[in-house]
mmCIF file of all heavy atoms in Angstrom:
data_model
loop_
_atom_site.group_PDB
_atom_site.id
_atom_site.type_symbol
_atom_site.label_atom_id
_atom_site.label_comp_id
_atom_site.label_asym_id
_atom_site.label_seq_id
_atom_site.Cartn_x
_atom_site.Cartn_y
_atom_site.Cartn_z
ATOM 1 N N ALA A 449 33.520 43.288 40.709
ATOM 2 C CA ALA A 449 33.717 44.366 41.666
ATOM 3 C C ALA A 449 32.620 44.365 42.719
ATOM 4 O O ALA A 449 32.867 44.624 43.908
ATOM 5 C CB ALA A 449 33.741 45.723 40.933
ATOM 6 N N GLN A 450 31.384 44.008 42.303
ATOM 7 C CA GLN A 450 30.284 43.976 43.242
ATOM 8 C C GLN A 450 30.422 42.819 44.229
ATOM 9 O O GLN A 450 30.149 42.965 45.426
ATOM 10 C CB GLN A 450 28.951 43.864 42.500
ATOM 11 C CG GLN A 450 27.723 44.070 43.389
ATOM 12 C CD GLN A 450 27.708 45.440 44.032
ATOM 13 O OE1 GLN A 450 27.644 46.457 43.348
ATOM 14 N NE2 GLN A 450 27.775 45.487 45.348
ATOM 15 N N GLU A 451 30.872 41.662 43.731
ATOM 16 C CA GLU A 451 31.085 40.508 44.613
ATOM 17 C C GLU A 451 32.175 40.820 45.638
ATOM 18 O O GLU A 451 32.064 40.448 46.815
ATOM 19 C CB GLU A 451 31.476 39.282 43.783
ATOM 20 C CG GLU A 451 30.329 38.700 42.971
ATOM 21 C CD GLU A 451 30.763 37.601 42.026
ATOM 22 O OE1 GLU A 451 31.942 37.643 41.592
ATOM 23 O OE2 GLU A 451 29.969 36.712 41.719
ATOM 24 N N PHE A 452 33.219 41.474 45.177
ATOM 25 C CA PHE A 452 34.303 41.845 46.093
ATOM 26 C C PHE A 452 33.803 42.825 47.152
ATOM 27 O O PHE A 452 34.079 42.672 48.348
ATOM 28 C CB PHE A 452 35.450 42.473 45.296
ATOM 29 C CG PHE A 452 36.610 42.904 46.143
ATOM 30 C CD1 PHE A 452 37.481 41.968 46.694
ATOM 31 C CD2 PHE A 452 36.839 44.242 46.402
ATOM 32 C CE1 PHE A 452 38.560 42.358 47.482
ATOM 33 C CE2 PHE A 452 37.908 44.646 47.174
ATOM 34 C CZ PHE A 452 38.767 43.710 47.723
ATOM 35 N N ALA A 453 33.012 43.835 46.727
ATOM 36 C CA ALA A 453 32.489 44.829 47.662
ATOM 37 C C ALA A 453 31.572 44.174 48.687
ATOM 38 O O ALA A 453 31.604 44.493 49.883
ATOM 39 C CB ALA A 453 31.748 45.919 46.901
ATOM 40 N N ASN A 454 30.735 43.237 48.215
ATOM 41 C CA ASN A 454 29.821 42.548 49.135
ATOM 42 C C ASN A 454 30.586 41.729 50.172
ATOM 43 O O ASN A 454 30.192 41.652 51.344
ATOM 44 C CB ASN A 454 28.871 41.640 48.356
ATOM 45 C CG ASN A 454 27.892 42.415 47.504
ATOM 46 O OD1 ASN A 454 27.667 43.606 47.738
ATOM 47 N ND2 ASN A 454 27.322 41.757 46.504
ATOM 48 N N ALA A 455 31.703 41.132 49.748
ATOM 49 C CA ALA A 455 32.473 40.271 50.649
ATOM 50 C C ALA A 455 33.178 41.079 51.724
ATOM 51 O O ALA A 455 33.092 40.760 52.924
ATOM 52 C CB ALA A 455 33.480 39.455 49.837
ATOM 53 N N ILE A 456 33.881 42.128 51.342
ATOM 54 C CA ILE A 456 34.650 42.883 52.347
ATOM 55 C C ILE A 456 33.723 43.629 53.305
ATOM 56 O O ILE A 456 34.118 43.955 54.432
ATOM 57 C CB ILE A 456 35.647 43.863 51.691
ATOM 58 C CG1 ILE A 456 34.914 44.932 50.860
ATOM 59 C CG2 ILE A 456 36.666 43.108 50.853
ATOM 60 C CD1 ILE A 456 35.849 45.994 50.298
ATOM 61 N N ALA A 457 32.475 43.875 52.859
ATOM 62 C CA ALA A 457 31.521 44.547 53.749
ATOM 63 C C ALA A 457 31.156 43.661 54.944
ATOM 64 O O ALA A 457 30.662 44.154 55.972
ATOM 65 C CB ALA A 457 30.268 44.931 52.973
ATOM 66 N N LYS A 458 31.400 42.339 54.834
ATOM 67 C CA LYS A 458 31.091 41.412 55.918
ATOM 68 C C LYS A 458 32.218 41.298 56.935
ATOM 69 O O LYS A 458 32.061 40.657 57.971
ATOM 70 C CB LYS A 458 30.804 40.025 55.341
ATOM 71 C CG LYS A 458 29.646 39.980 54.361
ATOM 72 C CD LYS A 458 29.555 38.598 53.710
ATOM 73 C CE LYS A 458 28.502 38.557 52.617
ATOM 74 N NZ LYS A 458 28.475 37.238 51.926
ATOM 75 N N ILE A 459 33.372 41.894 56.624
ATOM 76 C CA ILE A 459 34.551 41.764 57.487
ATOM 77 C C ILE A 459 34.593 42.903 58.495
ATOM 78 O O ILE A 459 34.456 44.079 58.132
ATOM 79 C CB ILE A 459 35.839 41.741 56.645
ATOM 80 C CG1 ILE A 459 35.831 40.505 55.726
ATOM 81 C CG2 ILE A 459 37.075 41.770 57.524
ATOM 82 C CD1 ILE A 459 36.967 40.467 54.731
ATOM 83 N N THR A 460 34.764 42.552 59.756
ATOM 84 C CA THR A 460 34.810 43.552 60.826
ATOM 85 C C THR A 460 36.234 44.074 60.995
ATOM 86 O O THR A 460 37.185 43.303 61.126
ATOM 87 C CB THR A 460 34.335 42.947 62.159
ATOM 88 O OG1 THR A 460 33.003 42.458 61.993
ATOM 89 C CG2 THR A 460 34.373 43.994 63.259
ATOM 90 N N THR A 461 36.366 45.383 60.974
ATOM 91 C CA THR A 461 37.670 46.015 61.203
ATOM 92 C C THR A 461 37.682 46.595 62.616
ATOM 93 O O THR A 461 36.712 47.222 63.045
ATOM 94 C CB THR A 461 37.925 47.138 60.190
ATOM 95 O OG1 THR A 461 36.862 48.095 60.275
ATOM 96 C CG2 THR A 461 37.966 46.587 58.771
ATOM 97 N N SER A 462 38.795 46.392 63.316
ATOM 98 C CA SER A 462 38.810 46.813 64.720
ATOM 99 C C SER A 462 40.021 47.633 65.139
ATOM 100 O O SER A 462 40.056 48.167 66.246
ATOM 101 C CB SER A 462 38.727 45.573 65.631
ATOM 102 O OG SER A 462 39.805 44.695 65.333
ATOM 103 N N THR A 463 41.020 47.760 64.260
ATOM 104 C CA THR A 463 42.207 48.532 64.630
ATOM 105 C C THR A 463 42.002 49.994 64.238
ATOM 106 O O THR A 463 41.920 50.309 63.056
ATOM 107 C CB THR A 463 43.457 47.987 63.921
ATOM 108 O OG1 THR A 463 43.609 46.602 64.231
ATOM 109 C CG2 THR A 463 44.692 48.756 64.364
ATOM 110 N N PRO A 464 41.912 50.890 65.219
ATOM 111 C CA PRO A 464 41.676 52.302 64.879
ATOM 112 C C PRO A 464 42.970 53.005 64.502
ATOM 113 O O PRO A 464 44.059 52.644 64.971
ATOM 114 C CB PRO A 464 41.100 52.872 66.173
ATOM 115 C CG PRO A 464 41.746 52.050 67.241
ATOM 116 C CD PRO A 464 41.930 50.663 66.679
ATOM 117 N N VAL A 465 42.854 54.024 63.663
ATOM 118 C CA VAL A 465 44.004 54.865 63.336
ATOM 119 C C VAL A 465 44.013 56.015 64.341
ATOM 120 O O VAL A 465 43.037 56.763 64.444
ATOM 121 C CB VAL A 465 43.908 55.416 61.904
ATOM 122 C CG1 VAL A 465 45.082 56.354 61.616
ATOM 123 C CG2 VAL A 465 43.891 54.255 60.909
ATOM 124 N N LYS A 466 45.126 56.128 65.074
ATOM 125 C CA LYS A 466 45.228 57.141 66.112
ATOM 126 C C LYS A 466 46.302 58.165 65.779
ATOM 127 O O LYS A 466 47.207 57.905 64.975
ATOM 128 C CB LYS A 466 45.520 56.500 67.463
ATOM 129 C CG LYS A 466 44.391 55.587 67.952
ATOM 130 C CD LYS A 466 44.653 55.074 69.363
ATOM 131 C CE LYS A 466 43.485 54.241 69.876
ATOM 132 N NZ LYS A 466 43.697 53.771 71.262
ATOM 133 N N ASP A 467 46.198 59.335 66.413
ATOM 134 C CA ASP A 467 47.182 60.383 66.180
ATOM 135 C C ASP A 467 48.325 60.264 67.182
ATOM 136 O O ASP A 467 48.396 59.314 67.964
ATOM 137 C CB ASP A 467 46.534 61.775 66.239
ATOM 138 C CG ASP A 467 45.857 62.045 67.576
ATOM 139 O OD1 ASP A 467 46.224 61.390 68.585
ATOM 140 O OD2 ASP A 467 44.964 62.913 67.627
ATOM 141 N N ALA A 468 49.213 61.254 67.183
ATOM 142 C CA ALA A 468 50.393 61.228 68.061
ATOM 143 C C ALA A 468 50.014 61.253 69.534
ATOM 144 O O ALA A 468 50.797 60.837 70.398
ATOM 145 C CB ALA A 468 51.301 62.405 67.728
#
Side-chain angles (χ1 to χ4, degrees):
Q450 190 61 63
E451 288 173 331
F452 179 74
N454 292 341
I456 63 175
K458 300 173 186 176
I459 297 173
T460 301
T461 57
S462 57
T463 304
V465 177
K466 296 186 177 182
D467 59 22

